[in-house]
Amino acid sequence: MSTIRDLPEDVLVELLSLLPAQDLVRTCRLVCRQWRCVVELTTLWKRKCQREGFYVHNLDRSVSDWKVFYMLCNLKRNLIKNPCAEENFQHWKLDKNDGDKWKIENLPGCHGKDMPDPKVQKYFVTSYGPCFKSQLITLQKEGYWNQLMDEKRPEIVVKDWYAARFDCGCRYELTVRLLSEDYIVLEEFHPEPIVIEQWSDARWREISHTFQNYPAGVRYIWFQHGGQDTQYWAGWYGIRVTNSSITIGPLTL
């Protein structure tokens, strides 16, 4: 009687590609030498990419490791929690909360405009005193193991959206730091503060930055944004922020 070991390699690849990646790496490759070899095959991980919609034909020459490529695609998501104020201030640390403090408002808000993305319904808004909030992302907790970050250095893409009221000037600031295990800053993105004058168009604008070829040892990502109004009006006339994101993905995406 034939056994699973008698299956042709291409059939075994097809069968094993149906299994979750965690089972392949932690269990299947320990079954026998044949399975270990199949689990390490490029064709198996490319097949998993095809099954799950990660495969694009013109990537063939640019992907050096299809196993890592699959893992990064599978993990890719927004690492910022509660980016659009749907859960009040949950997951955010209010580093500075001056003036009349942070507030949450519904789009478009007074003297404001809607976001380009209609799914975004709320935003955080600052006051006349400095208002800053932050999140600290622990990469291992999010599934990004140390060896992956140190050897593959996947792209870290940061995005944030900000806007002013039409009738009041304001100031916006963003700081993103890649931190070591001991919270040493390995790389930082901190552009000059953006000052929006009174009687602006109130449009939402996106700021973005991609970390590449950063030093080994990145274990945390610290994200902070905020600002205030520039006319010191009581209430919530300062910068508005929403739809923040940090994603980690393969260099080819």
Side-chain angles (χ1 to χ4, degrees):
M1 180 181 293
S2 298
T3 67
I4 195 169
R5 293 185 179 185
D6 300 320
L7 291 174
E9 184 179 276
D10 58 337
V11 176
L12 190 55
V13 164
E14 191 69 20
L15 289 174
L16 292 181
S17 70
L18 295 168
L19 298 177
Q22 184 172 319
D23 292 342
L24 288 172
V25 173
R26 294 184 179 180
T27 305
C28 294
R29 67 187 308 275
L30 302 179
V31 171
C32 63
R33 182 181 300 175
Q34 180 196 20
W35 280 38
R36 183 171 67 249
C37 292
V38 171
V39 168
E40 296 301 321
L41 284 176
T42 295
T43 51
L44 182 142
W45 295 100
K46 186 183 288 190
R47 184 70 184 103
K48 285 190 71 62
C49 286
Q50 290 172 331
R51 284 187 180 281
E52 298 183 34
F54 303 145
Y55 178 84
V56 180
H57 182 69
N58 60 11
L59 292 179
D60 274 1
R61 295 182 180 179
S62 58
V63 176
S64 59
D65 188 328
W66 281 94
K67 178 181 177 181
V68 170
F69 180 83
Y70 172 84
M71 296 291 190
L72 287 171
C73 289
N74 194 49
L75 283 169
K76 192 173 183 179
R77 65 201 186 280
N78 187 3
L79 300 179
I80 294 286
K81 296 176 175 61
N82 186 27
C84 303
E86 295 295 342
E87 301 173 79
N88 200 14
F89 288 99
Q90 188 173 349
H91 305 295
W92 291 99
K93 179 185 177 184
L94 303 184
D95 303 315
K96 287 189 177 181
N97 204 17
D98 295 343
D100 284 324
K101 303 183 179 182
W102 282 98
K103 186 184 179 184
I104 292 170
E105 295 180 345
N106 294 319
L107 280 156
C110 187
H111 293 288
K113 292 187 177 178
D114 283 316
M115 277 280 294
D117 184 350
K119 294 178 182 177
V120 180
Q121 298 293 316
K122 297 182 179 182
Y123 60 83
F124 304 94
V125 58
T126 61
S127 186
Y128 62 86
C131 294
F132 290 90
K133 60 186 179 70
S134 64
Q135 285 193 32
L136 181 68
I137 297 165
T138 304
L139 293 174
Q140 276 200 323
K141 287 183 179 179
E142 301 297 337
Y144 296 91
W145 60 99
N146 295 348
Q147 185 180 6
L148 174 69
M149 298 304 298
D150 292 348
E151 294 182 3
K152 301 303 179 180
R153 317 280 175 90
E155 284 186 342
I156 301 173
V157 180
V158 180
K159 296 182 181 181
D160 199 22
W161 286 83
Y162 64 93
R165 290 173 58 117
F166 164 73
D167 59 346
C168 188
C170 61
R171 175 187 177 102
Y172 165 79
E173 294 185 50
L174 171 67
T175 304
V176 185
R177 293 172 180 163
L178 306 186
L179 305 176
S180 71
E181 187 173 358
D182 298 322
Y183 302 98
I184 295 170
V185 179
L186 301 178
E187 199 158 314
E188 179 181 83
F189 175 63
H190 180 58
E192 288 294 317
I194 296 171
V195 177
I196 302 173
E197 301 295 337
Q198 188 180 25
W199 316 123
S200 71
D201 59 12
R203 285 178 51 233
W204 285 92
R205 289 174 169 81
E206 182 186 54
I207 185 170
S208 66
H209 177 74
T210 301
F211 290 98
Q212 292 179 320
N213 301 317
Y214 44 83
V218 174
R219 301 294 177 260
Y220 305 96
I221 303 174
W222 184 73
F223 176 102
Q224 184 194 64
H225 65 177
Q228 64 187 100
D229 83 57
T230 54
Q231 289 161 249
Y232 304 99
W233 291 353
W236 297 273
Y237 291 83
I239 196 70
R240 301 167 170 185
V241 292
T242 193
N243 206 26
S244 313
S245 68
I246 294 177
T247 54
I248 299 178
L251 296 176
T252 51
L253 287 186

